[in-house]
Amino acid sequence: MGKHPSNNQIVSRERVAEHGEVYTSEREVNAMLDLVNDETQRADSRFLEPACGNGNFMVEILRRKLRAVTARYGRSRAEWAEKAVCAVCSVYGIDILADNVAEARRRLYDVFADSAEAVLGGVSPELGRTVGYVLQRNVILGDALTLQSADGTGRPIVFSEWTFIGGGNVKRRDFTLDALLKNTPIEGLNLFSDLGDEAFIPLPVKEYKIVNFLNLSDNGQDQLQP
């Protein structure tokens, strides 16, 4: 789970007892991510933290991704912006506590804003709106055990897949987490397979028209997560 700004590993005994909330230290986070460092260098490599706390793992993943994006595309403002948004789109999290979700979103936005300040001199309104919207979709108030929203509605957790298809364009498809985790819905079928056997591909609950990455917030404002 995420790391509290005070560097304490617990917020309160009550939260530990009720939710099992224990924050992971920065040293442990970096040691674990070092094991998959190559993947953290890819802007489009997706990560999901199912008990994200206030975002410790996600923040470090995004920080590493953005450093790689800057090293490769920092000389082109347009390319950097597209790849940096792609990096944000690749980081997902779930937490059962609303304050953790809000803080994780804020921390991720701040990491992006710091990188944008260094490369672009700041975050434009269009860029800020896009990143804020993606974080609303990607960091969700929910219960990873029940696969449902934690807002009391009983709705399934729904994540958006953002596929960058070139020319600054993005294809969005929404999937329930339940469908994504059912990698063996029928015996003998696998979600990912390189053995030549039939693969299971989950069906999206909704697809959206292709849009420019700066216009992502224009095609789904009615589906913001709490």
Side-chain angles (χ1 to χ4, degrees), residues 22-160:
V22 178
Y23 293 113
T24 310
S25 72
E26 183 176 351
R27 182 180 64 181
E28 292 168 328
V29 167
N30 279 297
M32 293 172 71
L33 292 179
D34 285 346
L35 299 175
V36 291
N37 189 56
D38 287 349
E39 292 300 310
T40 68
Q41 305 303 301
R42 291 176 46 207
D44 61 349
S45 182
R46 297 187 180 99
F47 287 81
L48 168 62
E49 173 56 38
C52 69
N54 62 4
N56 201 31
F57 275 100
M58 295 188 297
V59 163
E60 182 56 30
I61 289 166
L62 182 59
R63 187 176 287 123
R64 292 181 183 212
K65 283 174 171 281
L66 290 176
R67 282 201 297 262
V69 167
T70 298
R72 295 169 188 166
Y73 305 101
R75 295 183 179 180
S76 169
R77 294 167 63 90
E79 282 189 292
W80 185 91
E82 179 182 346
K83 296 299 184 181
V85 170
C86 179
V88 174
C89 287
S90 73
V91 181
Y92 297 84
I94 306 168
D95 201 81
I96 201 168
L97 297 174
D99 60 339
N100 277 341
V101 170
E103 187 173 355
R105 290 170 177 168
R106 178 189 60 76
R107 293 178 68 197
L108 288 164
Y109 186 92
D110 288 347
V111 168
F112 177 85
D114 288 345
S115 291
E117 178 68 31
V119 178
L120 306 178
V123 180
S124 68
E126 296 82 6
L127 198 54
R129 185 167 58 247
T130 288
V131 171
Y133 180 71
V134 169
L135 292 176
Q136 287 283 110
R137 293 290 320 161
N138 281 23
V139 186
I140 292 177
L141 178 65
D143 187 334
L145 296 179
T146 66
L147 307 181
Q148 294 179 344
S149 171
D151 61 0
T153 64
R155 295 178 302 174
I157 292 173
V158 176
F159 278 122
S160 294

Side-chain angles (χ1 to χ4, degrees), residues 187-216:
E187 188 174 354
L189 297 186
N190 300 312
L191 179 60
F192 301 109
S193 175
D194 59 2
L195 301 178
D197 53 339
E198 188 176 1
F200 167 67
I201 301 176
L203 296 176
V205 294
K206 189 168 184 178
E207 296 195 40
Y208 297 79
K209 65 181 181 181
I210 295 171
V211 296
N212 183 270
F213 74 96
L214 290 176
N215 298 323
L216 289 177

